[in-house]
Amino acid sequence: MLRRTLNLGILAHVDAGKTTLTERLLYAAGVIDTPGSVDHGSTQTDTLALEQQRGITIKSAVVSFAIDDVTVNLIDTPGHPDFIAEVERALSVLDGAVLVVSAVEGVQPQTPLLFRALKRVEVPTILFVNKTDRAGADPARVLEQIEERLTPDAIPIESEGDRAVAMELGGAVPVFFGSARNGTGVKELMTGIAELLPAAPRDGDGPVSGSVFKIDRGPAGEKIAYVRMFSGTLRTRDRLAEQKVTAIRVFEDGSSVQRPAVSAGEIAQLWGLSEIQIGDPIGEERRSRQRHFAPPTLETIVAPRDPGERVALRDALSRLAEQDPLISIRQDDHAHAHRLLPAAEPRPPTCGSTS
């Protein structure tokens, strides 16, 4: 069976149940035996200690599962407005999105902001009204809010016939209802994801083109670049500018597996690119980098409690800035501290063509 790939974003206002829905999707797909708990810090995507302590998503995370012949690379994004830049970086690599709305709180301040951003970058979107099992849930009221504040093209999906109508109507926004906590409506949502959202084109023989949307560090401090491939095939030992790809891991069945290459439509982790930055193109640049949310404007002064740890603080802040290109660092010798400043413009790319 020829498999398709769908790079799917899960977005929501904080506490709408986005990460719980991610867990339930992984469970329904057979990737995990038991859904993890946000409250217990046992989810697949919230792995940072601070995420587990606060019960919120801070950094985007990627996890993979299958729906019939579709391989879904799911990107779980932060819901808290403090981390909106993480969402922005994910937008450019998505084929489709699920926007989660609480059946209790309804359309919240962050929800229209996210929906408008998805429309601007033309990412097909499904809405999932979550928490229908909670006290105070009112799906009918929330559907009215969706039609008034998000889109008049919302179509509630309650049967197979509704899905068929949504597929025929261009511009329709399907709305599913259920509970991520107990699994109600999740299988119907999965069917909608596979049928109503477009899978990525897989032009593995075309020119190499991809984009780096996340930078992480491995156990030994090595830089790991997360890349979405739009066209062509990138292989181990290929060169990007003056850097060589030394290892590739592709997401599959809830984890990442080592592969000799990554092709169009797939998301992978790349090793060996020590100078790479978020937003860098892999091979041919596909689109210009744009901002969809207001950039930060605050400046923060950070000083070590122990003056002897000034170098260690500098290193830590440098890693923070490499993972968030909206942050710039300047040393303040007068205050014996560092200043975290909003970056005026996106940093110039360091990688380009392959050879």
Side-chain angles (χ1 to χ4, degrees), residues 99 101 107 111-113 115 127 145-152:
L99 181 60
V101 182
V107 174
T111 315
L113 183 70
F115 186 78
L127 296 179
Q145 291 181 354
I146 289 170
E147 292 171 341
E148 292 172 359
R149 299 183 58 188
L150 300 184
T151 174

Side-chain angles (χ1 to χ4, degrees), residues 92-339:
S92 63
V93 302
L94 300 181
D95 301 310
V98 174
L99 181 60
V100 185
V101 182
S102 169
V104 179
E105 290 84 5
V107 174
Q108 296 171 275
Q110 192 86 339
T111 315
L113 183 70
L114 295 170
F115 186 78
R116 288 195 299 268
L118 289 165
K119 296 295 283 185
R120 277 197 297 270
V121 294
E122 299 180 337
V123 173
T125 301
I126 286 175
L127 296 179
F128 182 69
V129 178
N130 189 27
K131 302 185 180 182
T132 56
D133 60 325
R134 302 288 180 92
D138 190 344
R141 169 180 58 83
V142 174
L143 181 59
E144 290 180 1
Q145 291 181 354
I146 289 170
E147 292 171 341
E148 292 172 359
R149 299 183 58 188
L150 300 184
T151 174
D153 299 320
I155 296 183
I157 307 297
E158 298 173 340
S159 68
E160 186 174 331
D162 293 335
R163 286 204 310 274
V165 171
M167 292 175 71
E168 293 175 2
L169 293 177
V173 179
V175 184
F176 291 80
F177 301 84
S179 168
R181 183 173 64 170
N182 63 28
T184 303
V186 171
K187 287 191 176 180
E188 291 79 3
L189 174 64
M190 292 176 73
T191 300
I193 289 171
E195 292 184 354
L196 301 175
L197 295 178
R202 304 196 67 169
D203 183 13
D205 296 326
V208 172
S209 177
S211 178
V212 176
F213 66 95
K214 176 179 176 178
I215 295 292
D216 212 343
R217 290 278 178 172
E222 72 277 20
K223 185 178 284 190
I224 304 170
Y226 286 65
V227 60
R228 155 71 196 269
M229 294 296 296
F230 296 106
S231 170
T233 299
L234 182 70
R235 296 176 174 82
T236 305
R237 303 184 68 81
D238 279 352
R239 286 192 173 274
L240 298 172
E242 299 301 318
Q243 305 170 77
K244 182 170 67 175
V245 178
T246 58
I248 296 174
R249 295 185 71 88
V250 175
F251 289 91
E252 182 178 293
D253 293 333
S255 61
S256 61
V257 294
Q258 189 153 350
R259 292 272 186 83
V262 54
S263 296
E266 295 181 314
I267 289 178
Q269 298 167 306
L270 306 182
W271 276 259
L273 309 177
S274 60
E275 301 300 321
I276 204 163
Q277 300 174 356
I278 289 174
D280 277 1
I282 299 296
E284 294 186 3
E285 189 162 8
R286 179 174 178 266
R287 63 180 69 178
S288 61
R289 291 175 290 171
Q290 302 178 30
R291 285 178 174 167
H292 306 288
F293 305 106
T297 57
L298 296 179
E299 178 178 326
T300 302
I301 297 177
V302 183
R305 292 181 179 179
D306 179 355
E309 295 183 339
R310 194 170 297 147
V311 174
L313 175 63
R314 172 75 186 188
D315 290 343
L317 293 177
S318 296
R319 290 196 177 189
L320 176 65
E322 100 180 352
Q323 295 179 27
D324 191 336
L326 297 183
I327 295 176
S328 179
I329 299 175
R330 187 178 72 205
Q331 186 166 325
D332 189 330
D333 294 325
H334 180 72
H336 302 291
H338 299 286
R339 291 180 180 268

Side-chain angles (χ1 to χ4, degrees), residues 22-53:
T22 297
E23 290 293 308
R24 184 59 65 170
L25 290 169
L26 294 175
Y27 174 70
V31 172
I32 55 177
D33 295 329
T34 304
S37 167
V38 173
D39 293 336
H40 297 156
S42 57
T43 64
Q44 297 293 304
T45 52
D46 287 349
T47 56
L48 294 178
L50 190 58
E51 291 177 317
Q52 295 168 356
Q53 291 167 12

